[in-house]
Amino acid sequence: MTLAHDDIAALDKHCVWHPFTQMQDWTAADPVIIERAQGVRLVDIRGDEYYDGVSSLWLNIHGHRVPEIDAAIRDQLDRVAHSTLLGLANIPSARLAAKLAELTPAGLNHVFYSDSGSESVEIALKMAYQYWRLLGQERSRFIKMTNAYHGDTIGAVSAGGIDLFHSTYRDLLFPTFEVPYPYPYRFDGSVDDCVAHCLAALDDILTDHADDVAGLIVEPLVQGAAGMIMMPEGFLKALEQRCHDSGVLLITDEVATGFGRTGRMFACDHEDVCPDIMTLAKGLTGGYLPLAATVTSEAIFEAFLGEYNEQKTFFHGHSYTGNQLCCAAALASLELFETSNLLARVNENHAIIRQALAEIAECEHVGEVRNRGFMTGIELVHDRSTREPYAWQEQIGVKVCDRSRELGMIVRPLGHVVIFMPPLASTAAELQEMLSILHRSISEATE
Ligand SMILES: *Cc1c(COP(=O)(O)O)cnc(C)c1O
């Protein structure tokens, strides 16, 4: 049975409530309805093709309909789709946990599964809090970074620092200490001054409150949802050092940066950082199925061990925790990293991205181009010389992305920052074409 575009659009508009979407605008517009995909292209119900320029919201790694991942899911489907991890083990979740323990920094060996990045963060927060209680210490506060994004559940929003989300749900959130994340483009002073300013704020909090703080949570190297804001070199290491010195747990949220996005398997690898807890999601299954993991150190895992009646159990779990289909997809994706030598190709193709971005940086309304590996944010400004931003009501980011869609590529803005996050497996030719669409969209929409 084939359904026409208009039929599905009507069903969608009547019944689907879209995420982060003003539904009044949505219902007034004509949606793109994706029907299938191939490689790095999405195909809509009318047969029009679009490059997947944001990896289906930062998830996709090897492209769509990858034979190896498709086969792994089908093979698992022939055995069992799901059985619970409460009281039972299963084959793919055990194999995947071992693989994650091997890939993550050396101190991280224990994997707690969930279904989304937000949940992996909730788990990290509850684990850190309970860890200290089990050691006999009441530490109920977390340190978070300004403009941080850790997901949309209540705990994750509490640990986040994006004002709009925070003020909307203010009374539901728990209190935190906040430290500025270095954003040199918007700092009045040198990069060194910016870093010193952020670290001094952290030092002040640690001096006065370290004993109340369970952990510091941070997006390592790149703050994604804030608009691809990038840490100067050495900043992550400095955070690790301070957490270590003050006895505060370091929680790195690698939900966006993990699995090759920054050119290494994990952002922490760039500075040889080993957190106490690492959260993973988005790219874990290659962008196929919802799966997340919270990976922890030996010390944290061991603190939860005890006699049954001591009640040291970690009281957390979801219906689909450790789902076999998801774990099978993740195993196949991680195997593809090796067999296709993906990280080497990412670093080779990075030269193409860098060169095209250097040209885009010359556009009249491009304030700053920020790039790390296959993560790019292009900050548009009303006036380059004064860095004066566009008024948010102008929706300049949306205009660029609308133009890009007309030219055959799906991208999403974050305010006035245009995000470009192609699948890691994009070929040189595909990248070139995507970047040329990006360039054209920016120049034409800001004319
Ligand atoms: C996307 C994201 C999350 C939330 O993940 P979901 O799967 O959308 O819940 C958390 N942290 C970071 C850094 C993210 O980019």
Side-chain angles (χ1 to χ4, degrees), residues 296-432:
T296 75
S297 68
E298 214 56 52
I300 292 181
F301 179 75
E302 278 172 11
F304 287 77
L305 301 178
E307 297 299 327
Y308 176 74
N309 57 17
E310 291 180 89
Q311 298 198 314
K312 289 184 167 183
T313 303
F314 184 48
F315 297 110
H316 196 102
H318 298 284
S319 309
Y320 283 98
T321 295
N323 173 269
Q324 281 100 319
L325 289 177
C326 298
C327 291
L331 279 164
S333 169
L334 292 174
E335 202 173 310
L336 266 177
F337 269 89
E338 289 162 26
T339 53
S340 73
N341 214 359
L342 187 60
L343 287 183
R345 277 165 50 211
V346 160
N347 287 298
E348 241 170 67
N349 285 338
H350 184 238
I352 294 167
I353 297 182
R354 218 176 24 213
Q355 199 197 328
L357 290 180
E359 289 163 24
I360 290 174
E362 300 302 313
C363 293
E364 194 189 336
H365 290 281
V366 169
E368 187 181 47
V369 173
R370 296 185 282 272
N371 167 264
R372 188 106 205 197
F374 273 45
M375 301 179 91
T376 299
I378 299 165
E379 183 164 337
L380 304 174
V381 288
H382 187 68
D383 185 330
R384 252 159 88 100
S385 57
T386 62
R387 304 187 178 186
E388 184 198 336
Y390 278 99
W392 62 268
Q393 296 91 336
E394 280 189 66
Q395 294 194 290
I396 187 65
V398 173
K399 285 177 188 152
V400 171
C401 295
D402 286 351
R403 183 68 189 126
S404 166
R405 179 195 294 182
E406 288 165 6
L407 296 172
M409 176 168 72
I410 304 290
V411 280
R412 290 270 306 172
L414 286 161
H416 49 272
V417 180
V418 176
I419 305 300
F420 178 59
M421 296 260 279
L424 301 189
S426 308
T427 64
E430 288 163 344
L431 285 171
Q432 242 137 15

Side-chain angles (χ1 to χ4, degrees), residues 28-276:
D30 191 30
V32 172
I33 301 169
I34 299 304
E35 196 249 336
R36 60 202 148 86
Q38 185 62 53
V40 300
R41 288 185 183 83
L42 301 166
V43 186
D44 75 11
I45 195 167
R46 292 162 160 153
D48 291 334
E49 293 194 8
Y50 309 87
Y51 279 113
D52 190 356
V54 283
S55 297
S56 294
L57 228 66
W58 317 0
L59 310 176
N60 193 278
I61 293 187
H62 310 282
H64 299 273
R65 296 183 58 203
V66 182
E68 291 86 347
I69 304 180
D70 290 3
I73 294 171
R74 287 197 186 103
D75 183 55
Q76 183 59 45
L77 200 50
D78 284 338
R79 294 159 201 275
V80 56
H82 180 78
S83 61
T84 181
L85 218 54
L86 274 77
L88 295 173
N90 73 59
I91 297 166
S93 73
R95 289 183 55 218
L96 177 61
K99 189 76 196 164
L100 291 174
E102 177 198 318
L103 290 172
T104 50
L108 302 178
N109 293 314
H110 299 277
V111 175
F112 197 100
Y113 288 113
S114 54
D115 315 324
S116 71
S118 306
E119 287 165 313
S120 72
V121 167
E122 299 287 336
I123 288 160
L125 299 172
K126 283 177 69 177
M127 227 175 227
Y129 169 77
Q130 192 176 347
Y131 165 78
W132 289 111
R133 291 203 67 183
L134 291 171
L135 297 193
Q137 296 188 34
E138 289 295 333
R139 295 180 176 225
S140 59
R141 304 294 284 273
F142 287 89
I143 300 176
K144 62 149 181 231
M145 313 296 291
T146 305
N147 286 323
Y149 179 76
H150 297 293
D152 298 328
T153 51
I154 295 296
V157 175
S158 299
I162 294 182
D163 272 345
L164 178 62
F165 308 158
H166 239 257
S167 55
T168 307
Y169 304 105
R170 187 173 31 230
D171 291 342
L172 301 179
L173 308 177
F174 57 71
T176 49
F177 295 114
E178 185 169 319
V179 172
Y181 195 100
Y183 188 0
Y185 183 67
R186 293 278 170 209
F187 183 81
D188 191 12
S190 69
V191 175
D192 285 350
D193 288 348
C194 178
V195 165
H197 165 77
C198 299
L199 290 178
L202 175 58
D203 287 337
D204 284 348
I205 293 166
L206 290 174
T207 304
D208 294 341
H209 305 286
D211 293 349
D212 300 330
V213 175
L216 178 153
I217 181 162
V218 64
E219 291 156 271
L221 291 203
V222 184
Q223 261 188 339
M228 299 295 152
I229 299 171
M230 315 228 164
M231 284 180 176
E233 205 181 318
F235 189 80
L236 185 60
K237 197 72 191 168
L239 293 183
E240 181 192 42
Q241 187 65 48
R242 279 163 168 80
C243 285
H244 189 260
D245 291 349
S246 58
V248 160
L249 297 178
L250 175 62
I251 303 167
T252 56
D253 177 351
E254 294 248 14
V255 169
T257 51
F259 304 104
R261 269 288 151 200
T262 63
R264 303 283 293 267
M265 201 57 171
F266 301 106
C268 285
D269 297 341
H270 289 273
E271 300 198 355
D272 202 15
V273 161
C274 183
D276 299 285

